[in-house]
Every structure is written in C-alpha cells, then in structure tokens.
Amino acid sequence: MSTIRAAREAAQSLSSKVQTALEGLIWSGALPPGARLNEVTLARQLGVSRGPVREAARALERTGLVTVILNRGAFVRTLTIDEAMQIYELNSVLFGSAAARLAVACTGEQAMTLRAVVEQMDQRIAGGDPEGFFAGNIVFHEQIMAFSGNAAMEAVYLDHTRKLLLMRRRSFDRSGSMAEANAEHRRLLDSILAGDASLARQQAEQHTRSGRARFLTAIAYKDGGPRVGTAAEKNAATI
Amino acid sequence: MSTIRAAREAAQSLSSKVQTALEGLIWSGALPPGARLNEVTLARQLGVSRGPVREAARALERTGLVTVILNRGAFVRTLTIDEAMQIYELNSVLFGSAAARLAVACTGEQAMTLRAVVEQMDQRIAGGDPEGFFAGNIVFHEQIMAFSGNAAMEAVYLDHTRKLLLMRRRSFDRSGSMAEANAEHRRLLDSILAGDASLARQQAEQHTRSGRARFLTAIAYKDGGPRVGTAAEKNAATI
DNA sequence: GCCGCCCGGATTGTAGACATTTTTTCCCCG
DNA sequence: CGGGGAAAAAATGTCTACAATCCGGGCGGC
C-alpha cells in the first residue's frame, strides 16, 4: 500500500511539479533575483510544454516569488529591504497573536512537542549543525502557528515566511545568533506555559523583531555595511 | 491622450478580463458556491479559448474564491462558518495593528479623508442608501489599512476581506446595523486622532468583532436560526 | 556625430487538437 | 427490481501551431 500512496502522490499535475522545480531553481540561485523565466527554455529543460510552465509561473506570482508583466514574462522577484521589514512587521503581529492564543489554550501534548523542538535546537547548536538549527527554528515557529488553531493566519504566516526564507538563511551564520534566538524561544515557551497571554504576545513580537535585527546585521555584513545606510532614500536595495 | 490611456488599459491580457468576468459571475450568483467552472462552456460564453479561462481559474484559486481539484476542475469555494470566523480573527488583528500604527502617525490630510468618509456614510444612512453605505464602509477600512503604510498587511487584509464580501453584503440589511457600525467608526477615528494607539487598537479589534456578530446575526436570520446552533459540531454549514 | 525610425529575431499570448481521467449511462446479472 | 460493472460521453490536462507584441541592431536624416 506504500506503493499506492506513492502513486497517489506522484499523481499530481505537471504544473505542481514544475512549480516545485521552479521554486528549487529560484532557491538554489540558478534563477537569481531579477532573472526572466524563459518559458520555452524552462519547458525544454523540464521536459514539458509551455502550458505547465506558464501555470506554475502564474502560481508563483500569487505567492510573491515572481512578478509577471504583460507580454514580457515572469521575473524573479527582488525583495526590497522595505518589503522585508513590512513582512517582518506582519509576521510579528501574527506570531504574537498566535502565542497569546496558545498561552490560554495550550494542551500538554503541544507543550511537550514545543519543548522537544527547543531541546533539539540546543543540541544542534552544541553539535555545530546550523542547517539543523535552521530547520528546527522553522518548525518551532510553524508549530506555534499551527497550534494556535487559525488556519487562515497560519497560511498567511507560512506564505510570507517563505518569501523571507529566500534570503534569511544567512542570518544565522554566527553561532551566537543561534544561541540568542533559542534563548528567546525558551522564554517565550515559558510564558506560554505560564498562561500569560499578554507576556507571550509581547515576547513573540520581541522575538520577531530580534530576528529582524539579526537579519539586518547579516545583510550589513554581507553587503559591507554602508550601503544599507545610504540606500535609505528608498531602501530599494535588493537583498 | 485619454485615448492612449484607454487603449493602454484595454491592453490587458485576456486572462485578466476573464478573471474579472468570472468574479462577476460568482458575485452575481450565476456561479453559486459549489458550482463547477466548466472550462469549455465559460470559454464559449466569453468568446475566448480555454487557456485564458484556465489561467483565470487558477488565479481565482490563489485568491481563495475557487478551489481546483486535479482532473476535476475548479469549484466555487464554499466558505464554512469556521473559516469565516478565522478570517474575522485575522482581520481583527490586522485592522487593530493598522489602527494603532495610524494613531501615532496620522497626517492631517489622512484624518480629513477618513472624516469625510464617515460623514458620507452617515448621509447615506440618512438617505436610505444601503449600497452606498456598504461601499463607504469598505473604503473606510481599506483607507485605514492603506494609511498604515504596510503594503504586505494591506494586501493580506484586502485578500481576506474579499472572501468575506462574497457573503457579507447581506449583513447590513437592517438600518440599525449601519448606524451602529458607523458610530463605532467615529469612536475609532476619535481614538486615532487623539493619538491613543492602545485604545485605537482595542476599538478596531472590537469593531471587527462587532462586524462578526452582525454577520452571524444576519446568517441566523437568513437560515432560520436553529441551523447555526445545531451545526456547531463541525460548523461545516456553507453560507 | 547623435537622434529617431524601421525592421528582424525572439518571446509571450491565444487558439485549437490530442491524450487521459472522470462521470454518466445503460445493460446485464443476481 | 436493485446493484455492479463496462462502455460511451464529457471534461480536464497537456501539447503543438499561429498571431501579437516586445527588444535590439542597423540605417538614414538632421
């Protein structure tokens, strides 16, 4: 029956598979920000026709990964710092709301799950596994959103976090950031378990802001610093 | 040059026009919730090929108006009461955040605009123009979201409000609701102009909850009441 | 020497045709 | 007379072909 499940999952439309492939190409940098998605080239590379490629591109447009211009095609979206800041603010509100909700309605099982994730992240920090920590970090936030019980909020959070993830991976290069972030996770979890909704909301929002700060620091390191400051005119610098 | 502008606006892809047409069909009830979007029929009716219809349907899927199932097509989405409640909660958080932000950063021009909208709604209530009030109500909320200066939040709010609008129009059938809602608008605007972010957030959230209550009342009237209560098992009743 | 114009190549937008899946219908069997 | 199953019909998924549009290079005029 495992084969049945496999066959069932394999039976998704070509567009979906193409969409996943395109996400991978964007992720890996093979399609850098600003690049145009040439329909015939991509179709040939992926061994499909232009139709599925077009549908996948339009789907990616709705998720915000690309923008399409009439008669000119789809371009990999370049997120400005301003847009990233706005997404952080949005995520802050959503994550804070979810934490507050969870503080008054957290089950024992959920608490154990969250504790386990935090423990695991600590181990991965100690073991020098930044990729593992990164994955655990995502799980922690997504679990809290999922446990909050509002599917609409969760979907919005996931959508926007994915956009940020396109560039955020580098934010945790320094091990100090990871320990700092996980300490915040632990404090937030304590507040939730204590049932203090107001404190949990505040800590969740603060944690998101800290993540934003870590992200900006990483950007500054990467780009050499001065640019972030000088480009403040429009903050149009792509990341 | 007016002709140039007109030509420029007319020069949008067929998919966009088809999408608008489909939204209209769903809006008007010609495509009731649960109905399947027959590609060849719609294509024939609209005088285009299946391609644009498909693209429009996929676009509508991302906006949440339809859901598409592999090999079965696109169906007009049926929003459950649970989902509507979750969207109200999400909107409450977003609207509250925007109001709080606006309370500390509202310009004089923005204040005048909002005041004018509220005045206009009052006039339309007095003039017995529920459709006009309904439009003004949307403008008021969207203006606050726009003035808050976070495009990401605004986009999320608009997207989800549009889903609710599919059914919310009937919520204001009783004139008492309109007066009540506009009184809340006025109080919220006063808080914003007073610069009290905390109060503005609270009033904005409260206003959204009131809107949810008005909506539930309208639903109860429409469906005869008992169903909402008994269907609480899964709240799967479509609206 | 520079600007504007025109034309060819390339690319996207749309239409129509074929393949695959789903749904419906109808017949046969119990 | 009701239910199961197979075949036909219909609908979607995908592919190929054609039309409209946009970008870059070269030419002529000022």
Side-chain angles (χ1 to χ4, degrees):
Chain A
M1 41 189 165
S2 161
T3 63
I4 295 177
R5 273 193 67 114
R8 188 102 188 104
E9 301 201 354
Q12 54 183 352
S13 78
L14 270 190
S15 303
S16 308
K17 288 190 272 191
V18 170
Q19 183 176 347
T20 306
L22 291 184
E23 284 178 356
L25 287 177
I26 295 175
W27 218 263
S28 69
L31 287 173
R36 186 170 60 80
L37 275 64
N38 188 313
E39 293 181 359
V40 321
T41 304
L42 288 171
R44 195 169 313 168
Q45 285 180 6
L46 299 174
V48 299
S49 164
R50 276 179 54 212
V53 175
R54 278 181 69 85
E55 281 197 9
R58 296 309 185 282
L60 288 179
E61 181 192 23
R62 290 301 307 180
T63 72
L65 257 68
V66 306
T67 60
V68 338
I69 306 177
L70 180 63
N71 287 328
R72 292 196 47 196
F75 297 81
V76 179
R77 173 131 188 217
T78 62
L79 213 56
T80 66
I81 295 182
D82 260 354
E83 288 170 318
M85 293 302 100
Q86 292 185 354
I87 292 177
Y88 267 109
E89 191 181 337
L90 169 59
N91 275 357
S92 165
V93 172
L94 297 180
F95 192 56
S97 176
R101 168 67 188 275
L102 202 55
V104 298
C106 189
T107 72
E109 190 180 356
Q110 292 171 341
M112 279 176 53
T113 302
L114 292 175
R115 278 222 175 281
V117 174
V118 172
E119 299 289 338
Q120 194 180 39
M121 277 192 279
D122 266 341
Q123 293 170 13
R124 286 173 176 169
I125 294 172
D129 178 12
E131 283 296 320
F133 172 81
F134 190 76
N137 186 48
I138 295 176
V139 169
F140 179 75
H141 291 83
E142 291 187 355
Q143 284 285 10
I144 286 183
M145 293 308 298
F147 289 163
S148 79
N150 189 319
M153 269 195 209
E154 184 188 354
V156 171
Y157 182 87
L158 291 182
D159 262 14
H160 287 80
T161 298
R162 186 169 43 180
K163 295 184 196 174
L164 284 181
L165 285 179
L166 273 178
M167 50 180 121
R168 208 176 63 184
R169 180 163 263 129
R170 297 189 181 88
S171 302
F172 288 108
D173 280 353
R174 295 165 302 119
S175 62
S177 291
M178 295 190 283
E180 185 187 331
N182 213 28
E184 291 173 10
H185 292 161
R186 206 176 284 275
R187 279 202 296 274
L188 170 59
L189 187 51
D190 286 342
S191 303
I192 290 176
L193 296 185
D196 190 335
S198 172
L199 185 58
R201 179 193 301 271
Q202 183 186 329
Q203 300 215 356
E205 292 182 353
Q206 181 56 44
H207 173 59
T208 308
R209 277 193 284 272
S210 302
R212 182 180 62 185
R214 283 189 283 271
F215 163 70
L216 282 176
T217 304
I219 294 293
Y221 274 122
K222 179 185 156 214
D223 287 352
R227 192 159 136 229
V228 173
T230 57
E233 5 151 11
K234 282 208 60 176
N235 267 338
T238 62
I239 302 168
Chain B
M1 43 190 168
S2 162
T3 64
I4 294 177
R5 274 193 66 115
R8 187 102 190 103
E9 300 200 355
Q12 54 184 351
S13 76
L14 271 189
S15 304
S16 309
K17 288 189 272 191
V18 171
Q19 182 176 347
T20 306
L22 291 184
E23 282 178 356
L25 287 177
I26 295 175
W27 219 261
S28 68
L31 288 173
R36 187 169 60 80
L37 275 63
N38 188 315
E39 293 181 359
V40 323
T41 304
L42 289 171
R44 194 169 315 169
Q45 286 180 5
L46 300 174
V48 298
S49 164
R50 275 179 55 211
V53 175
R54 279 180 68 83
E55 282 197 10
R58 295 312 185 279
L60 288 178
E61 180 193 23
R62 287 303 307 178
T63 72
L65 257 69
V66 307
T67 59
V68 340
I69 305 177
L70 180 62
N71 287 328
R72 293 196 46 196
F75 297 81
V76 180
R77 175 138 186 208
T78 62
L79 215 54
T80 67
I81 295 182
D82 260 354
E83 288 171 319
M85 294 301 102
Q86 292 185 354
I87 291 178
Y88 267 109
E89 191 181 338
L90 170 60
N91 275 357
S92 165
V93 172
L94 296 180
F95 192 56
S97 176
R101 169 66 187 275
L102 202 55
V104 298
C106 189
T107 72
E109 190 180 357
Q110 292 171 344
M112 280 177 53
T113 302
L114 292 176
R115 277 221 176 281
V117 174
V118 172
E119 298 290 337
Q120 194 181 39
M121 277 191 280
D122 265 342
Q123 293 172 11
R124 286 174 177 168
I125 293 172
D129 177 11
E131 285 294 322
F133 172 81
F134 191 75
N137 186 46
I138 294 175
V139 169
F140 180 76
H141 290 83
E142 292 187 354
Q143 284 285 11
I144 286 183
M145 292 308 297
F147 289 163
S148 78
N150 189 320
M153 270 196 209
E154 184 188 355
V156 171
Y157 182 86
L158 290 182
D159 263 14
H160 287 80
T161 298
R162 186 167 41 184
K163 296 184 197 173
L164 284 181
L165 284 180
L166 272 178
M167 50 180 123
R168 208 176 65 183
R169 180 163 263 130
R170 297 189 181 87
S171 302
F172 289 108
D173 279 354
R174 295 165 303 120
S175 63
S177 291
M178 295 191 283
E180 184 187 332
N182 214 27
E184 291 172 9
H185 292 160
R186 207 177 283 275
R187 278 200 295 275
L188 169 60
L189 186 53
D190 287 342
S191 303
I192 289 175
L193 296 184
D196 191 335
S198 172
L199 185 59
R201 180 192 301 271
Q202 183 186 328
Q203 299 214 356
E205 291 182 354
Q206 181 56 44
H207 173 58
T208 308
R209 277 194 284 273
S210 301
R212 181 179 64 187
R214 282 188 283 271
F215 162 71
L216 282 176
T217 303
I219 294 294
Y221 274 122
K222 178 185 156 213
D223 287 352
R227 192 160 135 227
V228 173
T230 55
E233 8 151 11
K234 280 210 60 176
N235 266 339
T238 63
I239 303 168

